[in-house]
Amino acid sequence: QVQLAESGGGLVQAGGSLRLACAASGSTLSVSRMAWFRQAPGKEREFVASIRWSTASTAYADSVKGRFIIARDNAKNTVYLQMNSLKPEDTARYYCAGSRALIGQYNYWGQGTQVTVSS
């Protein structure tokens, strides 16, 4: 059993920064990959960034590449999403996800944290 808990969301002006955190608990050794997704009102959930737990290899959506950084802290069982140069279109609820496998579907999901970017 793995539980994920997001934190760090809030309201920020365009051009500002936020850092989201996702703390994993439970059977964390079963998690090989973690990611951030986001979903805006009326839109489908979209992939933002992912990281492999062991190697820290990362992947990013084109929309956030160069602005967002995903990182992990092994000692704290936590993954972060540093969001810089935020744009109004980044406004969404951000969800943390974990996967037992290195590819395919994600198995664990947090409840999400709201990020609102004002123009």
Side-chain angles (χ1 to χ4, degrees):
Q1 305 297 324
V2 175
Q3 294 80 44
L4 303 176
E6 303 96 332
S7 62
L11 176 65
V12 65
Q13 288 186 293
S17 299
L18 283 174
R19 189 176 75 158
L20 307 183
C22 174
S25 60
S27 301
T28 57
L29 292 178
S30 66
V31 178
S32 62
R33 179 178 51 137
M34 295 182 71
W36 289 94
F37 291 77
R38 66 187 182 186
Q39 187 168 28
K43 298 182 180 179
E44 295 183 346
R45 181 188 298 162
E46 65 174 339
F47 168 81
V48 176
S50 66
I51 185 167
R52 294 193 175 190
W53 196 251
S54 296
T55 66
S57 177
T58 60
Y60 297 91
D62 288 341
S63 59
V64 306
K65 194 173 299 181
R67 298 188 298 121
F68 291 9
I69 301 171
I70 188 170
R72 57 103 173 92
D73 186 327
N74 289 347
K76 296 181 179 179
N77 290 318
T78 299
V79 63
Y80 302 92
L81 184 68
Q82 178 66 47
M83 304 184 294
N84 301 314
S85 301
L86 283 162
K87 305 175 181 179
E89 49 263 45
D90 294 319
T91 295
R93 190 166 184 86
Y94 285 70
Y95 296 89
C96 179
S99 176
R100 293 187 295 269
L102 294 176
I103 59 173
Q105 299 295 316
Y106 285 81
N107 311 108
Y108 314 107
W109 294 86
Q111 293 300 117
T113 185
Q114 180 67 35
V115 172
T116 302
V117 184
S118 62
S119 60

